[in-house]
Amino acid sequence: MLKQMKYFVTVVKCNSFTEAAEECYISQSAISQQIRALEEELGVKLICRENRKFSLTPAGEYFYNQSLILLHEAERIRQETVRIDNKNNRQIRIGYLKCYGGQELQHAIAIFTEQHPGIDIHIVNGTHEELYELLVSGEVDLVLNDQRRAFSGEYENFHLYSFYCYIEISTRNALGALDKVTMNDLKRMPCIIVTSKEQQENERDYYQNYLAFIGEFLFVDNLEEGRLLVAGDKGFMPVEGVANIPQVGATMTRLPLFRGDAQLQRDYFAFWKKENSNIDIQSFANILHDMFENNLK
């Protein structure tokens, strides 16, 4: 019956016996016979046929909805059975930033799991320093992080995407009329940083030593809280594209952040030890790269 369920669901999804037959790699007559055999076995009519068109009966609609659930559960059981029977028990351990808010990693995990159902995925998060230590100690196989250290030849530094840096600032602030700003322009305003409590000192060090910001800092837990402070002209907030930030409203404006003649960029990478490199890690990194490319075009 599971195979007949699959045929029935495919016919309904395609809204065509012909297209469903092509998708299931059988003939149109064969898939029609399977649907009729299913109706006979159930003793109910699932489809009302009218020339080349069809519609679902109330029983057919119920059976379709329940079939979707059962087929999904059957596939989950199949994958788990394969995983348990896999003597090598392949796995990949991934680390990501606590303050990372994008959907790229989530989508990459979903696709990788679908393509490699026999591989376990273990996820941890942490600060920049925590992720670095986990990678050094071998407790994770790959981390998603922005570049905060000089590259090491012992690691694969797989570039995922480069984001231009901007600030969001209140439209009531005089600097909001500029076409671009530098950190020097902003030194008299508090810098609002969205980060976890554990990461605050690292973020402070990054902005002071790498971006040469000499003003005060305000730390917030989430983007919404930061925007409320910006709207109240309590400071400016650096932003970039990793969290798929929506368009700002009338209370604030977004300005490109420059250093000299060039707009600042933040680069995101997948890092892993070269000595531990394998086809599973490389495959996941490639999928993650594609997710950044697709989501941020």
Side-chain angles (χ1 to χ4, degrees):
M1 183 176 284
L2 283 176
K3 182 176 289 187
Q4 292 174 332
M5 281 184 176
K6 182 179 179 182
Y7 291 150
F8 176 72
V9 165
T10 306
V11 167
V12 176
K13 284 184 175 180
C14 294
N15 196 32
S16 166
F17 279 85
T18 302
E19 292 180 15
E22 292 177 357
E23 187 171 320
C24 295
Y25 301 102
I26 63 173
S27 67
Q28 180 178 341
S29 59
I31 202 169
S32 296
Q33 290 172 4
Q34 288 293 323
I35 300 301
R36 288 193 178 92
L38 176 62
E39 290 178 318
E40 290 175 4
E41 185 172 348
L42 292 172
V44 299
K45 193 172 185 180
L46 301 175
I47 293 177
C48 291
R49 298 166 177 81
E50 299 175 5
N51 297 324
R52 295 185 178 182
K53 297 181 180 180
F54 69 85
S55 60
L56 294 179
T57 65
E61 291 181 0
Y62 173 81
F63 189 80
Y64 172 73
N65 292 333
Q66 295 303 309
S67 294
L68 289 174
I69 297 171
L70 286 173
L71 289 172
H72 181 272
E73 181 64 11
E75 177 61 19
R76 188 197 65 78
I77 292 172
R78 185 194 69 80
Q79 292 180 6
E80 183 66 10
T81 303
V82 171
R83 187 194 68 79
I84 293 172
D85 190 56
N86 187 343
K87 294 181 180 179
N88 295 325
N89 196 24
R90 290 159 59 189
Q91 66 175 359
I92 182 170
R93 300 164 299 172
I94 300 166
Y96 70 97
L97 281 174
K98 285 185 176 180
C99 57
Y100 166 75
Q103 297 182 339
E104 297 80 18
L105 178 60
Q106 176 184 338
H107 293 164
I109 290 173
I111 292 175
F112 184 85
T113 300
E114 182 179 357
Q115 294 180 357
H116 306 276
I119 301 177
D120 285 338
I121 296 182
H122 298 275
I123 310 294
V124 298
N125 60 30
T127 65
H128 290 91
E129 292 305 311
E130 288 170 344
L131 292 178
Y132 174 72
E133 293 299 329
L134 288 171
L135 196 58
V136 170
S137 65
E139 295 180 63
V140 294
D141 301 307
L142 175 149
V143 299
L144 166 61
N145 209 340
D146 62 345
Q147 185 186 359
R148 294 292 177 96
R149 296 172 176 266
F151 289 142
S152 168
E154 297 180 8
Y155 295 88
E156 292 288 351
N157 309 297
F158 187 80
H159 185 250
L160 296 172
Y161 213 82
S162 296
F163 300 98
Y164 282 113
C165 296
Y166 298 82
I167 66 148
E168 291 181 355
I169 191 170
S170 171
T171 53
R172 295 190 288 117
N173 192 290
L175 293 179
L178 299 178
D179 294 328
K180 61 183 180 182
V181 291
T182 66
M183 280 298 185
N184 189 56
D185 296 328
L186 300 164
K187 63 184 179 182
R188 293 182 178 83
M189 295 183 62
C191 179
I192 302 167
I193 304 293
V194 180
T195 187
S196 63
K197 290 182 179 179
E198 298 89 346
Q199 187 65 18
Q200 288 180 7
E201 288 307 311
N202 287 329
E203 290 297 314
R204 187 193 306 274
D205 180 73
Y206 174 74
Y207 277 88
Q208 288 177 338
N209 296 325
Y210 178 72
L211 299 182
F213 179 69
I214 59 175
E216 299 178 4
F217 291 90
L218 294 175
F219 295 106
V220 296
D221 293 330
N222 54 67
L223 183 63
E224 291 72 22
E225 185 179 352
R227 283 211 164 116
L228 288 174
L229 292 177
V230 171
D233 199 19
K234 302 298 183 182
F236 71 93
M237 183 168 61
V239 295
E240 19 99 331
V242 71
N244 296 325
I245 297 170
Q247 293 297 317
V248 296
T251 59
M252 62 189 77
T253 187
R254 180 175 292 183
L255 301 175
L257 181 60
F258 272 66
R259 173 187 285 162
D261 296 329
Q263 187 173 357
L264 283 171
Q265 287 185 316
R266 180 172 290 190
D267 296 312
Y268 282 80
F269 290 82
F271 298 103
W272 67 91
K273 282 185 176 180
K274 287 183 177 179
E275 64 182 30
N276 296 336
S277 186
N278 59 50
I279 191 171
D280 296 335
I281 293 175
Q282 293 171 355
S283 175
F284 184 85
N286 288 329
I287 293 172
L288 186 59
H289 176 270
D290 291 344
M291 292 303 97
F292 273 89
E293 289 281 352
N294 294 336
N295 288 356
L296 299 166
K297 283 181 179 179

